[in-house]
Amino acid sequence: MKVSLFITCLCDAMFPRVGEAVAHILARYGVQLDFPKAQTCCGQAAFNSGFWDEARATAKTLLEPFEDSDFVISPSGSCTGMIHHYYPKLFEHDPVMLEKANRLKEKTYEFSQFLVRVMGVEDVGAVFPHKVTYHPSCHGSRLLGIREEPIRLLRNVRGLELVDLPHAEDCCGFGGTFAVKMPEISGAMVDEKTQHVLETGAEYLVGTDLACLMNISGNLMYKGKPVKVLHLAELLVEGVKLAS
């Protein structure tokens, strides 16, 4: 079985430790990740901005590198959602590429989805004696239906106190190019989100999408608040280290 890592732009350029954390957790279960170096962007930024030709050209750079993979795993619900929901639309008038897009769609999973749904793992043997709250990203929860998978993994971390995030379903305000085009609205949304995070009294905020976590973390740092922000894979790796 060939399992490949789709690293995503943000993870590759700014948060490579998250990709390493995904690889570390999966390696505990005998999964040695393949990493096709030809992979680039999923094309979501161009697609959301209306540049579909450019998005289509970029999307093609993912179809070939992962063609012989049995599974493709990503640390991002947003980029995974792009493949699942919009690649078939991008290539609807190209039968050959559409077939490739559908094959990629069927085997591509967000990290927690793959761990829980495919591998059947809900307890990685981690210990993390801290108060934690969880932010469900819009694309992960709405496009992919990721709701219980991260929660199950967190609830099986020994010593972890999981507290509900008020209005958790609300957007953090990033929204890719939305944050650039409408910065005032975006800023107001993340202000509201971080206020809810602070209301929980949590030491850590955890999520599954790096764009959301980057946005919320930046606002918390701007306000001088001590809440630490981690991707789910990072927390699980830290917890495994503490348990060893």
Side-chain angles (χ1 to χ4, degrees):
M1 185 173 70
K2 184 176 181 180
V3 182
S4 299
L5 176 65
F6 168 36
I7 191 65
T8 80
C9 299
L10 204 55
C11 188
D12 189 37
M14 301 184 69
F15 303 99
R17 64 181 183 273
V18 173
E20 293 171 0
V22 168
H24 183 90
I25 292 296
L26 292 180
R28 289 173 60 82
Y29 300 96
V31 177
Q32 298 299 318
L33 283 176
D34 166 69
F35 187 85
K37 293 182 179 180
Q39 63 179 293
T40 60
C41 176
C42 70
Q44 183 177 177
F47 179 82
N48 289 345
S49 299
F51 296 100
W52 283 29
D53 288 340
E54 289 80 0
R56 197 173 291 110
T58 303
K60 287 179 180 178
T61 67
L62 289 190
L63 299 181
E64 295 295 334
F66 295 118
E67 193 158 18
D68 64 344
S69 301
D70 296 299
F71 292 98
V72 178
I73 314 305
S74 172
S76 165
S78 180
C79 297
T80 303
M82 175 67 187
I83 292 171
H84 272 248
H85 284 266
Y86 302 120
Y87 272 27
K89 184 66 176 177
L90 276 177
F91 297 109
E92 63 181 340
H93 300 302
D94 185 335
V96 174
M97 298 307 292
L98 178 60
E99 183 180 352
K100 291 184 178 183
N102 282 325
R103 284 204 301 267
L104 180 60
K105 168 187 171 180
E106 292 303 318
K107 61 189 176 185
T108 301
Y109 291 82
E110 180 272 335
F111 166 67
S112 70
Q113 267 188 325
F114 183 73
L115 205 56
V116 174
R117 294 189 195 177
V118 178
M119 299 193 67
V121 174
E122 296 187 11
D123 186 347
V124 301
V127 174
F128 198 76
H130 298 283
K131 193 173 185 179
V132 175
T133 193
Y134 169 71
H135 166 67
S137 65
C138 296
H139 284 175
S141 59
R142 293 181 174 90
L143 290 184
L144 297 176
I146 299 170
R147 294 183 176 87
E148 284 300 312
E149 295 88 344
I151 299 299
R152 290 181 191 177
L153 290 162
L154 290 170
R155 284 180 177 156
N156 281 300
V157 175
R158 281 165 281 288
L160 186 150
E161 179 186 355
L162 183 62
V163 292
D164 290 337
L165 178 62
H167 303 285
E169 69 282 357
D170 288 357
C171 178
C172 76
F174 185 71
T177 54
F178 168 78
V180 178
K181 294 176 180 177
M182 300 183 178
E184 294 83 5
I185 298 174
S186 174
M189 292 170 73
V190 74
D191 274 338
E192 188 174 76
K193 175 63 70 173
T194 53
Q195 183 55 43
H196 293 318
V197 171
L198 295 171
E199 287 170 12
T200 68
E203 302 167 77
Y204 287 84
L205 170 72
V206 174
T208 58
D209 261 299
L210 288 167
C212 302
L213 296 178
M214 180 178 67
N215 192 37
I216 298 168
S217 175
N219 192 264
L220 287 167
M221 291 174 64
Y222 177 76
K223 292 177 176 176
K225 302 301 180 182
V227 181
K228 300 177 183 68
V229 178
L230 292 175
H231 188 278
L232 175 64
E234 291 180 290
L235 183 144
L236 294 178
V237 164
E238 288 300 316
V240 166
K241 290 178 181 176
L242 285 173
S244 61

